């Protein structure tokens, strides 16, 4: 005859998935969900194993790591982004993504920080007010939209003329509008760069989304370099020469990024690199021009 212990009895009111957390060890089971551990991190809920009693200094260190260092991701990502061309892109494309910040997140943060810096600078620096000469906007009277009637065209031209006058009288307000609109328009450079990469580096046999990842990292580096230039602008003039060094590093870095990611010989890579720079310059100018025009109309 088999004897049953009380622990073997089935209780109809008890959920079989319930875990007696009082019996859970801090080193053998997860204190959050009770799953048996095979390392310092729970493979079910992701919680890190922590002893019951810790020194306050260790707890403070963990908190600072969680909020500021992101367990080393932040420092590792920025160092790689700044001085190791192509490392982030290659790691992401090969599936090694846990040690670095997501490329979309880093792009959004750096682009917003850059334009925030421009907005702050615009607040404290008085923009030059260009004096409007008589007849300077006479060209507007020649503009006609074929889908509108003569009276409607006149109303539109009158509104545009008023907005241009406002922009001339309030340049700081205009630039504030431009800096608010620009991040939304400049994001169009991401798919454009990915398209350039897809066409110019077609032999790499990469998907469009892979070129998009490279584009995210390239523009993120560009914003980071511009943020450093903004910071140098707040320093004494003796550091002014470093701005030139940053510009040179941008040119060299972007070339090395393309070479480290796509490979190829210098004689075939150099012309493609300059084509990318040329088209980027054209589209960046057009996008900032569009932001400026929209800013004038929104004053």
């Amino acid at each position: 005859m088999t004897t049953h212990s009380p622990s073997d009895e089935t209780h109809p009111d008890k959920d079989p998935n319930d875990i007696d957390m009082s019996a859970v060890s801090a080193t053998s089971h997860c204190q959050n969900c009770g799953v048996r551990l095979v390392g310092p991190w729970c493979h079910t809920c992701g919680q890190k194993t922590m002893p019951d009693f810790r020194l306050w200094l260790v707890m403070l260190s963990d908190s600072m790591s969680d909020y500021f260092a992101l367990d080393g991701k932040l420092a590792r990502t920025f160092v790689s982004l700044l001085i190791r061309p192509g490392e982030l892109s290659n790691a992401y494309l090969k599936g090694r993504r846990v040690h670095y910040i997501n490329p979309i997140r880093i792009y959004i943060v750096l682009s917003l920080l850059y334009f925030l810096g421009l907005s702050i600078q615009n607040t404290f620096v008085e923009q030059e007010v260009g004096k409007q000469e008589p007849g300077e906007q006479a060209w507007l009277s020649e503009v006609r939209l074929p889908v509108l009637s003569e009276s409607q065209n006149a109303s539109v031209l009158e509104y545009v003329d008023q907005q241009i006058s406002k922009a001339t009288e309030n340049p700081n307000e205009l630039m504030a509008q431009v800096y608010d609109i620009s991040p939304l328009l400049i994001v169009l450079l991401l798919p454009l760069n990915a398209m350039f990469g897809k066409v110019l580096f077609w032999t790499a046999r990469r998907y469009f989304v892979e070129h998009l990842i490279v584009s995210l990292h390239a523009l993120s580096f560009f914003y980071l370099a511009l943020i450093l230039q903004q910071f140098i602008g707040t320093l004494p003039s003796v550091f002014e020469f470093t701005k030139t060094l940053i510009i040179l590093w941008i040119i060299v870095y972007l070339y090395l990024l393309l070479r480290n990611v796509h490979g190829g010989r210098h004689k075939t890579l150099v012309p493609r690199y300059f084509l990318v720079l040329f088209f980027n310059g054209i589209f960046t100018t057009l996008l900032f021009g569009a932001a400026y025009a929209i800013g004038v109309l929104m004053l």
Side-chain angles (χ1 to χ4, degrees):
M1 183 173 181
T2 306
T3 59
H4 297 277
S5 64
S7 60
D8 294 332
E9 296 178 359
T10 303
H11 299 277
D13 297 332
K14 184 177 180 180
D15 187 344
N17 295 321
D18 285 346
I19 298 171
D20 183 7
M21 297 305 292
S22 63
V24 168
S25 167
T27 56
S28 64
H29 292 73
C30 175
Q31 293 173 297
N32 182 55
C33 64
V35 171
R36 181 175 290 279
L37 295 171
V38 292
W41 299 89
C42 176
H43 61 277
T44 300
C45 69
Q47 177 170 291
K48 186 178 181 180
T49 305
M50 294 179 62
D52 293 333
F53 300 100
R54 306 195 71 179
L55 294 174
W56 68 269
L57 189 59
V58 178
M59 295 178 65
L60 179 63
S61 173
D62 285 345
S63 300
M64 295 292 285
S65 174
D66 290 340
Y67 286 102
F68 296 101
L70 299 176
D71 288 332
K73 279 188 178 183
L74 189 62
R76 192 182 300 113
T77 300
F78 275 94
V79 169
S80 296
L81 186 65
L82 190 59
I83 64 175
R84 297 170 187 164
E87 182 178 83
L88 289 181
S89 297
N90 282 328
Y92 196 90
L93 295 179
K94 292 176 181 177
R96 300 195 298 267
R97 302 166 188 173
V98 130
H99 298 297
Y100 302 103
I101 297 176
N102 183 281
I104 296 177
R105 182 180 299 177
I106 196 68
Y107 169 81
I108 292 173
V109 170
L110 290 175
S111 62
L112 292 180
L113 284 176
Y114 170 66
F115 285 104
L116 177 62
L118 288 180
S119 297
I120 293 173
Q121 183 181 10
N122 180 66
T123 302
F124 293 100
V125 177
E126 187 67 28
Q127 300 289 340
E128 292 288 335
V129 179
K131 186 178 179 182
Q132 193 173 354
E133 299 294 335
E136 189 175 356
Q137 299 174 22
W139 60 273
L140 282 174
S141 60
E142 306 297 327
V143 177
R144 289 289 183 275
L145 298 177
V147 295
L148 301 179
S149 65
E150 194 65 29
S151 60
Q152 289 173 331
N153 268 297
S155 299
V156 170
L157 294 178
E158 182 181 358
Y159 172 75
V160 172
D161 184 69
Q162 291 175 353
Q163 294 303 109
I164 292 176
S165 298
K166 283 183 184 179
T168 305
E169 296 168 2
N170 304 286
N172 283 77
E173 291 184 21
L174 170 61
M175 296 312 298
Q177 289 282 1
V178 172
Y179 296 147
D180 287 341
I181 298 166
S182 293
L184 301 176
L185 293 180
I186 297 299
V187 76
L188 295 175
L189 284 176
L190 291 170
L192 287 172
N193 270 297
M195 182 184 67
F196 297 152
K198 184 69 174 173
V199 173
L200 295 175
F201 298 95
W202 63 272
T203 54
R205 306 295 182 186
R206 295 188 183 276
Y207 294 107
F208 179 84
V209 69
E210 293 179 296
H211 290 287
L212 192 60
I213 296 300
V214 177
S215 178
L216 279 166
H217 286 139
L219 288 177
S220 296
F221 163 76
F222 187 68
Y223 281 126
L224 181 57
L226 293 180
I227 290 170
L228 289 177
Q229 278 202 328
Q230 288 177 339
F231 174 73
I232 291 170
T234 65
L235 300 178
S237 57
V238 68
F239 296 100
E240 193 71 19
F241 75 97
T242 55
K243 288 186 176 181
T244 303
L245 295 179
I246 290 177
I247 293 174
L248 292 175
W249 178 231
I250 291 174
I251 296 172
V252 173
Y253 180 100
L254 294 176
Y255 176 79
L256 293 176
L257 184 149
L258 292 177
R259 190 168 191 271
N260 291 338
V261 172
H262 300 299
R265 298 180 179 180
H266 293 294
K267 64 179 181 180
T268 58
L269 185 59
V270 168
R272 286 183 284 182
Y273 172 64
F274 280 109
L275 277 175
V276 170
L277 291 183
F278 175 73
F279 285 117
N280 266 282
I282 291 177
F283 282 108
T284 301
T285 303
L286 291 174
L287 290 172
F288 269 110
Y292 190 88
I294 295 172
V296 169
L297 297 177
M298 292 180 63
L299 278 178

